[in-house]
Amino acid sequence: MKRRWTILFSVCLALALCACGARGAAVVSTSSAEQPFSIAEAEALIRPYDEAAAWLGAQDTVTREQAEALIAAVDEAFPGEGENMLGMFIDIARWEEDERQEFDVIPHSFCPTMFHEGVEVTDAVVRTECSEYDDGSVWETTRLEVTETYTGENEALADWSRTYVFDQTEDGWRFFTFDGQMNFSGEEWETSAPPLKSPVEGP
């Protein structure tokens, strides 16, 4: 829920900044459009995050070298998210202890990924929003939303979904934010989390 309010705040802030950028001009018209995006391409975009989370969640311990490689792999596609993801699975305070070279993976923290049974990429859509101002200026944004949903029979995950949001840039799709619940924690998840569909390679 906090993540969702953060996204709404970011959108409102962007709109406010846009209005300022338009030198106080008033919006005279807005339009929006959406088109489907390839599921296979969407899976490829989110794979670095999902693969790292699925692998890490299946470990009992992780070395500092493995963790650093994992952070680098995630940050390459999801800037700044590598250490955030690591913090879902280990005591991040211990990560700050430079002399420590091995870390216990929290056994009851679960991050659903497309590598787990019952989790699928169910939707991928490109949304374009366009606003025209009375001074003739135009503001347009194009974003890709990739949504994973749990479609299995585990009641604890019945309403779960997570959306990856990407901005369109000249160089392609750039990660912007997440929407939805990232992970679950509690002793019940040590035994009730759905298994991996197949082994996942780590760093």
Side-chain angles (χ1 to χ4, degrees), residues 28-179:
V28 295
S29 67
T30 59
S31 61
S32 61
E34 62 179 60
Q35 61 184 43
F37 187 82
S38 164
I39 293 294
E41 291 182 39
E43 289 175 342
L45 279 172
I46 69 172
R47 183 183 182 94
Y49 190 95
D50 273 28
E51 190 168 40
W55 177 81
L56 186 54
Q59 309 307 304
D60 294 320
T61 60
V62 60
T63 66
R64 181 172 291 276
E65 182 179 7
Q66 289 173 320
E68 289 175 344
L70 182 145
I71 290 172
V74 173
D75 280 349
E76 185 174 355
F78 297 82
E81 293 297 330
E83 192 164 317
N84 289 339
M85 190 204 67
L86 183 68
M88 292 192 297
F89 294 98
I90 72 168
D91 182 346
I92 206 67
R94 294 187 174 183
W95 176 251
E96 301 298 330
E97 300 171 4
D98 293 338
E99 71 280 3
R100 186 178 292 275
Q101 297 301 310
E102 187 171 84
F103 308 88
D104 292 330
V105 174
I106 300 171
H108 48 265
S109 182
F110 170 61
C111 176
T113 73
M114 63 181 176
F115 294 95
H116 289 95
E117 290 186 4
V119 179
E120 309 287 344
V121 174
T122 54
D123 191 41
V125 61
V126 176
R127 302 187 190 279
T128 301
E129 304 284 341
C130 182
S131 296
E132 296 185 22
Y133 296 82
D134 59 6
D135 65 354
S137 60
V138 176
W139 180 67
E140 182 176 289
T141 60
T142 300
R143 284 183 173 151
L144 167 63
E145 298 178 4
V146 179
T147 301
E148 291 178 307
T149 306
Y150 181 71
T151 60
E153 299 180 357
N154 187 332
E155 293 184 1
L157 289 167
D159 298 321
W160 179 85
S161 68
R162 177 174 63 234
T163 298
Y164 296 73
V165 183
F166 298 85
D167 279 328
Q168 188 177 49
T169 71
E170 293 181 355
D171 299 322
W173 297 107
R174 180 184 63 195
F175 176 70
F176 173 62
T177 192
F178 294 105
D179 186 17

